[in-house]
Amino acid sequence: MKPRSIGFASLLLGMALSACSLAGDITPPPGARPFRPVSATLIPATIAANQPATPGSGVLPVSNTLDFRPSAAAGALIYAAKCADCHGPAGQGDGARAAQLPDGIPVPKFADPALARDATPQAWFEVVTNGRLERYMPPFNASLSDADRWNVVAFLITLAVPPEQIERGQAVYTENCAVCHGTAGRGDGPQARDALVDLSAPAYFAGKTPADLLTAINAGNPIPAHAFGSALTAVSTLTEADRLAVVDYVRTLAYDYAAPRAQADGALVGMMKGVIRNGTAGAAPPPNLSINLLGFDPGVGVMTTLTTTADATGAFIFRDVPAATGRQFVAVANYDGITYYSDVLTLNGADVALTVYERTDDAGALRLERVHTFILFEAPGAITVGQLVIINNLGDKTFAPADERTVAITLPPGARDLNVQDGQEGVTFFRTADGFVDTAPVLPGRGASQLLYSFRLPWNGALDFSQPLPYPVDSVNVLVGDMGVTLTGPQFVRTEAQDVQGRPFQNYVRAGLNAGEPLTFRLATSPAANVTNALGSFLGNRETMGLAVGAGVLGVTVLGLRVWWWVKFRRADRGRQADGQRQTPARRQVARSRDELLDAIAELDDDYAAGKMPQAEYERERAWLKGELRKIWR
């Protein structure tokens, strides 16, 4: 579920919609009349190469130029999710929804070799991109990237080409063609006389039909020595079956062939390649770094882990990657003791980008973007103060001192009962004389790290709050959970009260602070005021606090994000205890948190790609989720 300050019903709805195929939404019910466009505007025009996306339109940029080797295995996964309902699992045009189309609108049978003989991959790519609405074929330029659509085209080609056809064609090519065209089709064979076309070039593959290649072989057009179909040539002739086989094999030189359904469903394999870059200015990528690839199914968990090693340039490759419909991946590397993650990926032919940074013990680039402070009145004699601190690292190095003490927090005098979210004293944080210090490295970026903690202070109807903060602060807000208590302090402005669960909270905001400048304010109430807040303590009743944040206190999504996870984990613990599970807390937390965090990152990426959230919010949420994942990995 998406860890954001929205309702659980909305989360479930969003997940359900994201799993739907676009084809499923446009297929008409039985008996529907054929689609007849009344205006040319109803049919998408061909999208020009490199046309930028229209802001807010949800249409991805499209390039008609093929500049990488498509993967049939990656395309198989997309086909199963997006296409099989109509075209059938094996491309026979017998999908479950095919029968719902009006009479006279056949579904193409990609398993029929005759269908592909006169079609270029480029033409199929354009159909997948723009659709054919008059035949109820939807466009996929909003839901699939260029790479995804080219991978689907590569898979469509394999549906009419069984493995034995490829094997036969390879044997024919090796015996008759490689001497000129080279083993990889690059035109560099030992007997190559003139500059030969590069048969392995993806762009050449995209623009040629099988019929074009067969003509060149049969009639020697434009090269007479190619007239393998004529008994009048000096070279040995090839049977028609041999010539058809070699055409099919030659096409695989420009894409990664995978026999369709050669393995059991859910056991397809593919390949992922990428490169490690060093995000620190002037620093080289680390050579020979070990890379892990986690493959996980959302809602299920991590299904596979692979390991490889980057070369001297930082390039790496994972072969034979087990894949299944909906499976996602994340690459993980540990560099200089710090764990780094790639974006969440699918097996779609795109390169993996993994950025690492050099370490520093200089905290000069750290800045607190916002300090959220909650004040709750539990009972006479004490108040509970909860703080969420959002930390930016504006440099290009990871802040990670050798002693593993990173972000230091100073507490007000008299603070007691410190509780750090998911914290373990002596492991994830350490007490200091005036507060505590975290141990998580702070990577470069905004919202790179966050801390959520609480403590108690004595309360007798008035309190002078003073908290030195060692880093510059951009902004501060304080929510006071008793309407009979007033807050006064330098630069503080009272804003509109927030109604949460039918109870009001006062909201005070102020501008930032310089490094070392204390956060100060005074709380005061009359003796007759009711100092008991029925919402309960910040830590003792996290469910209520999570609902408060989720209801829109401050309207700050990232605030709800952190508390939402806290509430979710607490509920998960209770559920496991009710089920009588006897896992150790450490094992339970690692298994639970890693899978849920990976799911959350994947869904967050989907939402951002769909234009459902602004970039700044996306980057803050993603940075925090990856930070939590990094803690678990450590």
Side-chain angles (χ1 to χ4, degrees), residues 26 34-37 42-44 105 131-137:
I26 198 167
F35 176 83
R36 300 185 185 278
L42 296 179
I43 302 178
I105 301 183
R132 286 181 176 174
L133 291 181
E134 74 279 8
R135 300 182 66 175
Y136 293 100
M137 166 69 182

Side-chain angles (χ1 to χ4, degrees), residues 322-608:
T325 301
R327 183 161 297 171
Q328 297 172 310
F329 300 87
V330 61
V332 185
N334 188 286
Y335 174 55
D336 200 10
I338 309 298
T339 303
Y340 297 92
Y341 294 86
S342 72
D343 289 339
V344 175
L345 309 160
T346 57
L347 196 64
N348 63 2
D351 286 352
V352 180
L354 183 57
T355 303
V356 301
Y357 302 89
E358 299 302 311
R359 294 175 63 140
T360 182
D361 58 3
D362 183 359
L366 299 189
R367 190 176 189 92
L368 304 187
E369 181 176 301
R370 194 172 183 93
V371 177
H372 302 282
T373 301
F374 308 86
I375 299 178
L376 301 174
F377 298 80
E378 307 177 86
I383 61 173
T384 297
V385 180
Q387 289 188 316
L388 172 62
V389 178
I390 302 173
I391 305 157
N392 295 338
N393 181 349
L394 304 183
D396 64 356
K397 295 181 179 180
T398 296
F399 177 60
D403 62 1
E404 296 189 352
R405 276 34 171 201
T406 55
V407 177
I409 298 295
T410 303
L411 300 179
R416 59 183 175 86
D417 299 336
L418 173 67
N419 192 321
V420 180
Q421 181 213 18
D422 293 336
Q424 184 178 354
E425 186 173 350
V427 178
T428 63
F429 74 94
F430 292 87
R431 294 295 300 264
T432 61
D434 54 4
F436 72 98
V437 59
D438 196 37
T439 63
V442 185
L443 274 62
R446 302 189 68 86
S449 184
Q450 299 177 30
L451 289 173
L452 178 61
Y453 54 91
S454 72
F455 51 88
R456 294 189 181 187
L457 289 172
W459 172 253
N460 59 6
L463 173 68
D464 289 311
F465 185 97
S466 179
Q467 180 183 22
L469 296 171
Y471 313 103
V473 180
D474 291 338
S475 62
V476 175
N477 79 283
V478 181
L479 272 80
V480 180
D482 191 318
M483 299 303 288
V485 175
T486 58
L487 182 149
T488 55
Q491 299 186 37
F492 270 102
V493 176
R494 181 174 178 175
T495 65
E496 184 178 355
Q498 303 286 340
D499 185 78
V500 182
Q501 301 290 304
R503 299 177 183 276
F505 277 75
Q506 300 177 73
N507 188 22
Y508 297 84
V509 298
R510 64 152 292 167
L513 303 165
N514 296 320
E517 183 180 355
L519 170 61
T520 60
F521 54 83
R522 178 175 176 80
L523 295 171
T525 187
S526 65
N530 178 13
V531 297
T532 301
N533 190 298
L535 286 179
S537 72
F538 184 75
L539 295 176
N541 192 353
R542 295 179 190 133
E543 284 83 353
T544 302
M545 194 62 212
L547 290 173
V549 175
V553 176
L554 302 177
V556 182
T557 302
V558 76
L559 177 61
L561 170 71
R562 193 66 176 265
V563 180
W564 187 90
W565 276 100
W566 198 350
V567 173
K568 182 176 176 67
F569 289 168
R570 181 175 173 87
R571 288 174 176 166
D573 277 339
R574 291 175 177 174
R576 291 182 178 88
Q577 292 167 7
D579 291 339
Q581 296 186 20
R582 292 296 182 266
Q583 294 175 299
T584 64
R587 284 182 59 83
R588 181 172 66 241
Q589 179 170 336
V590 169
R592 171 193 62 208
S593 302
R594 181 178 68 175
D595 294 346
E596 291 182 342
L597 286 165
L598 286 170
D599 286 352
I601 292 172
E603 293 189 24
L604 188 68
D605 289 344
D606 289 345
D607 274 5
Y608 177 65

